[in-house]
Amino acid sequence: GNSVTQMEGPVTLSEEAFLTINCTYTATGYPSLFWYVQYPGEGLQLLLKATKADDKGSNKGFEATYRKETTSFHLEKGSVQVSDSAVYFCALSDRANAGKSTFGDGTTLTVKP
Amino acid sequence: NAGVTQTPKFRVLKTGQSMTLLCAQDMNHEYMYWYRQDPGMGLRLIHYSVGEGTTAKGEVPDGYNVSRLKKQNFLLGLESAAPSQTSVYFCAHKESLAQETQYFGPGTRLLVL
């Protein structure tokens, strides 16, 4: 079956530091890949997505590139802010499997001033 | 709120009691999902629906039932609650199989004593 593996957290960074959160996946078909973000006490919301190999998703300074050869979708941001503190989930969506999504375990990011 | 509300926000149950969680979306989307979120385990799919009148089992369906009598509502029932069902429950919806972004509700926190 499909699976998503995220780098374990928690991750603590100082403001303006560079962020990388690793994500790799296993899928039988050609899934779409997503990063969702969850702020305290809220549901998940879409941060960015990529639907095919070599696509780059970007939003709010975050980027991730769909790498089919390494089955990866690592999240990066050049300069984090305190407001980026949240839990980040990598996920895949499989249209061949009724569009069901598989989520990673989440990575908690804390950014200190 | 991503066009979705969840009721209630928080509930405490005793073992063996029953309850129903309600998810209501106002975006006329076809697909709806129920997930549970437990610490360090990401989101796990309980049940889902691909349209009004349809339901299907997800990854962890045991102990739960669902109904989708109206397109905008997706109900999750616990017939006899167990402490292992203590969790945060999230409802999500998406427009169609091709539109893969999911929109999440704010969550229902359930404590079973």
Side-chain angles (χ1 to χ4, degrees), chain A residues 13 16-21 59-64 74-84 88 109:
Chain A
L13 296 173
E16 298 184 3
F18 184 85
L19 168 71
T20 299
I21 301 178
N59 186 27
K60 299 180 182 178
F62 291 89
E63 294 184 339
H74 304 322
L75 182 67
E76 296 182 336
K77 186 174 186 182
S79 177
V80 293
Q81 305 300 312
V82 172
S83 58
D84 294 327
Y88 292 82
L109 170 67

Side-chain angles (χ1 to χ4, degrees), chain B residues 26-94:
Chain B
D26 62 6
M27 297 176 73
N28 202 36
H29 284 179
E30 293 293 336
Y31 285 61
M32 297 188 75
Y33 305 86
W34 275 108
Y35 295 93
R36 59 179 289 173
Q37 183 181 32
D38 301 293
M41 298 185 73
L43 274 77
R44 292 183 291 169
L45 182 65
I46 304 171
H47 286 282
Y48 65 102
S49 169
V50 301
E52 181 179 309
T54 75
T55 62
K57 293 180 180 180
E59 180 186 353
V60 288
D62 293 343
Y64 305 95
N65 56 73
V66 287
S67 65
R68 183 107 181 262
L69 299 180
K70 292 183 178 180
K71 189 176 185 179
Q72 64 268 34
N73 295 338
F74 195 29
L75 280 65
L76 178 71
L78 286 73
E79 290 186 348
S80 179
S84 60
Q85 294 178 304
T86 293
S87 188
V88 181
Y89 292 86
F90 287 100
C91 174
H93 62 94
K94 70 177 187 181

Side-chain angles (χ1 to χ4, degrees), chain A residues 94-111:
Chain A
D94 185 358
R95 270 175 278 183
N97 192 13
K100 288 188 284 186
S101 292
T102 302
F103 291 83
D105 290 345
T107 302
T108 300
L109 170 67
T110 301
V111 180

